[in-house]
Amino acid sequence: MTKKDIEQGYYPLRPMQLWMINTNLEHENSTMMNVNGLVKFASEIDMQKIKKTFNEIINGHDIFRCQFVFHPETKELCQRFDGEIKPVILEKISDEEFENLHGKLAKPYKLIKNPLWNVRLFETPTAKYCYFDFYHAIIDGTALAMLILHEADIIYSEKNVKRKPPKYADYILENLKIPPEELAEGHAYWKNILKGFDAKKHVPLPDIEGVAARKGGSVEIPIQNVTRKFFSDKIYNENCFFLAASMLAVAKFNGVKSSVMSWVHNGRVTPIERRLVGFTINQLPISWDFEKDCTVEEFLQGINAKIAEGINYRKSLDMVYNKGLENDLVTFIFQKTIYGDFKIGDTKNSFSDIPDDKYSAAENVLDIEINLKDDDSYSINLDYDASLYSESAMKNLAAMIDEFVLKLQDEQKFISEILF
């Protein structure tokens, strides 16, 4: 993309943004890329102040003006940051009307030349709600939980904040300035990791067939074999430990001695990235050869080193996404649940369940999510393509992950002793 294009307001998509959009377009009438939630506010919340708060947040960040467009000359899909913002309003409706709306709030986005977010405020005679819905390629979980909800508390509480938020358009420009030779080193790194990938070995083997593709499925179980206290004196963190357990579980599930999968990093390394309301996450491929035996301690140290290497080369992931190499990889995600209680002013507010919508579909073949709960316990959530896997098979895989969570706590054991 040229300097002239930028001057005219056309910005390139990040590789992972483009990958998400292309994946969504395979099932364009789905909500697979919607990041949404339903908040039930405390009874003492002032809904007029909440309306003012959310309008101030939305007008203060350029990502909410983001629209995907085709370049008029090259026809390349790109993004602009000059879209019109429709004000958030307060809808006063009956409890019966809200109950009828409850399961119909999520809808697919029309991706070209349209807003990519939806915030609705409701007040009924008995309750106060906010439904939010962001297209995932513009907002990630960190932006939502750590930044937007935190900013809502600051604005609602009328605290004085002088610092201007960074712009997502500037973040895109900074990525364009990376020297080609720096990118080339990373390209070679990712190519080396992925050269050994084999979907028949490294993706759980399907146990059903004949069902419509991309049917969404989900299984969640509590982790029985560890709590957060276990990590208090470890040199590795929870992300490393549970990623290692997941790699072992998928290998055992398929009866193989190697693993190639990807893991999600929030992409927020610099001070500006940590304050950026937008989409910064990456999926980083990672591999391990279990034929080369080692102790659990050496394995965890090795995974920790590979994680650090991957973060170092994160700017070169365009090679992975542009060639569609992420499409078939099992993806691991560790996160603190974004749907816990949160504070606005002096009030404690909570998330309510949203019924499954008729537009849902599986985003990936398999996502392994480890969630840290507010009580310092963990759960395993498997989001999977139910056209490939049965619920019982996914429950077995989740149980295997928890099994390796226990086995990895004996650091002097050899991997050959615990894998099979």
Side-chain angles (χ1 to χ4, degrees):
M1 194 152 285
T2 67
K3 182 179 179 181
K4 181 181 177 182
D5 293 328
I6 300 295
E7 290 173 348
Q8 292 177 345
Y10 295 98
Y11 291 78
L13 292 162
R14 289 186 61 228
M16 191 167 177
Q17 284 182 298
L18 185 58
W19 173 77
M20 282 189 159
I21 295 167
N22 287 338
T23 301
N24 198 166
L25 288 176
E26 295 177 14
H27 299 268
E28 57 184 324
N29 292 320
S30 78
T31 53
M32 63 164 60
M33 296 296 176
N34 291 43
V35 177
N36 58 7
L38 179 65
V39 170
K40 185 174 184 180
F41 289 117
S43 59
E44 58 267 38
I45 276 284
D46 183 332
M47 291 302 285
Q48 291 298 329
K49 281 184 70 174
I50 283 289
K51 181 179 75 171
K52 179 177 178 294
T53 294
F54 277 103
N55 278 310
E56 188 170 333
I57 291 171
I58 289 163
N59 280 282
H61 299 276
D62 67 341
I63 196 65
F64 295 107
R65 296 185 181 275
C66 180
Q67 292 189 3
F68 302 144
V69 300
F70 290 105
H71 192 286
E73 296 176 4
T74 66
K75 308 306 178 186
E76 179 184 359
L77 187 61
C78 51
Q79 55 192 330
R80 297 183 63 94
F81 298 93
D82 55 3
E84 183 180 352
I85 289 180
K86 186 178 180 180
V88 176
I89 63 171
L90 175 60
E91 302 175 53
K92 296 191 176 185
I93 60 176
S94 68
D95 289 300
E96 183 181 13
E97 287 174 313
F98 181 78
E99 193 59 35
N100 289 334
L101 270 176
H102 191 204
K104 305 172 185 175
L105 292 167
K107 295 180 181 178
Y109 282 100
K110 296 179 180 178
L111 295 180
I112 308 303
K113 290 186 178 180
N114 280 293
L116 299 168
W117 59 272
N118 181 27
V119 175
R120 298 180 68 177
L121 300 176
F122 299 100
E123 185 171 7
T124 76
T126 63
K128 302 168 182 179
Y129 299 96
C130 173
Y131 173 74
F132 62 81
D133 194 324
F134 306 111
Y135 192 64
H136 198 4
I138 70 162
I139 293 289
D140 56 38
T142 302
L144 171 62
M146 303 300 293
L147 299 174
I148 294 176
L149 294 180
H150 177 66
E151 188 172 346
D153 175 40
I154 290 173
I155 295 173
Y156 184 90
S157 303
E158 299 179 346
K159 297 174 183 175
N160 185 23
V161 178
K162 297 180 180 179
R163 189 166 56 176
K164 287 186 177 181
K167 294 181 178 180
Y168 194 73
D170 291 341
Y171 172 70
I172 298 296
L173 289 180
E174 284 302 311
N175 285 335
L176 292 177
K177 296 177 183 177
I178 301 172
E181 59 273 15
E182 183 178 326
L183 294 174
E185 184 179 346
H187 291 161
Y189 177 81
W190 297 121
K191 184 177 180 179
N192 183 60
I193 285 182
L194 291 165
K195 68 181 181 182
F197 174 70
D198 182 344
K200 293 180 180 180
K201 293 171 58 178
H202 301 128
V203 178
L205 298 173
D207 67 322
I208 61 174
E209 58 182 20
V211 181
R214 294 286 188 180
K215 180 183 177 184
S218 182
V219 163
E220 183 171 12
I221 68 168
I223 291 180
Q224 305 287 347
N225 290 318
V226 77
T227 64
R228 199 178 191 187
K229 184 179 179 181
F230 171 77
F231 299 99
S232 61
D233 61 349
K234 304 300 180 186
I235 61 171
Y236 49 82
N237 60 21
E238 297 143 295
N239 180 73
C240 172
F241 183 82
F242 289 118
L243 173 57
S246 299
M247 295 174 77
L248 284 164
V250 174
K252 181 176 180 178
F253 191 92
N254 274 7
V256 298
K257 293 187 177 181
S258 62
S259 176
V260 183
M261 56 192 295
S262 67
W263 66 281
V264 173
H265 180 251
N266 64 25
R268 298 173 187 273
V269 176
T270 69
I272 287 179
E273 288 168 342
R274 294 189 188 102
R275 296 174 49 229
L276 185 63
V277 174
F279 178 82
T280 64
I281 65 174
N282 293 302
Q283 288 181 205
L284 286 68
I286 188 168
S287 64
W288 193 271
D289 180 4
F290 295 114
E291 293 280 4
K292 300 174 183 176
D293 204 8
C294 62
T295 65
V296 166
E297 182 179 26
E298 290 167 337
F299 173 51
L300 291 171
Q301 289 174 347
I303 293 295
N304 212 29
K306 283 178 175 282
I307 286 171
E309 285 178 346
I311 294 172
N312 187 50
Y313 290 119
R314 71 191 188 282
K315 300 295 186 180
S316 296
L317 283 165
D318 57 314
M319 182 275 292
V320 177
Y321 296 119
N322 292 343
K323 293 186 178 181
L325 298 175
E326 285 285 65
N327 291 340
D328 296 323
L329 294 179
V330 174
T331 300
F332 171 84
I333 308 163
F334 173 76
Q335 60 188 359
K336 179 174 172 56
T337 179
I338 63 174
Y339 295 114
D341 294 342
F342 64 96
K343 184 174 72 74
I344 292 185
D346 296 323
T347 68
K348 183 180 180 181
N349 307 277
S350 59
F351 283 88
S352 296
D353 291 334
I354 304 176
D356 290 337
D357 65 84
K358 65 179 182 179
Y359 305 106
S360 64
E363 180 179 325
N364 293 315
V365 173
L366 173 63
D367 287 343
I368 300 173
E369 299 180 11
I370 305 294
N371 293 303
L372 170 61
K373 305 291 189 177
D374 289 337
D375 64 357
D376 285 349
S377 68
Y378 303 93
S379 69
I380 304 168
N381 190 85
L382 303 184
D383 290 324
Y384 60 94
D385 187 343
S387 69
L388 300 175
Y389 306 113
S390 66
E391 182 176 327
S392 60
M394 292 296 96
K395 286 183 176 178
N396 286 340
L397 177 59
M400 285 183 188
I401 295 172
D402 199 12
E403 175 189 337
F404 281 111
V405 164
L406 178 61
K407 290 180 176 180
L408 286 174
Q409 294 174 46
D410 187 346
E411 295 183 357
Q412 300 312 309
K413 282 252 185 179
F414 279 83
I415 293 298
S416 59
E417 296 178 73
I418 69 172
L419 184 53
F420 298 110

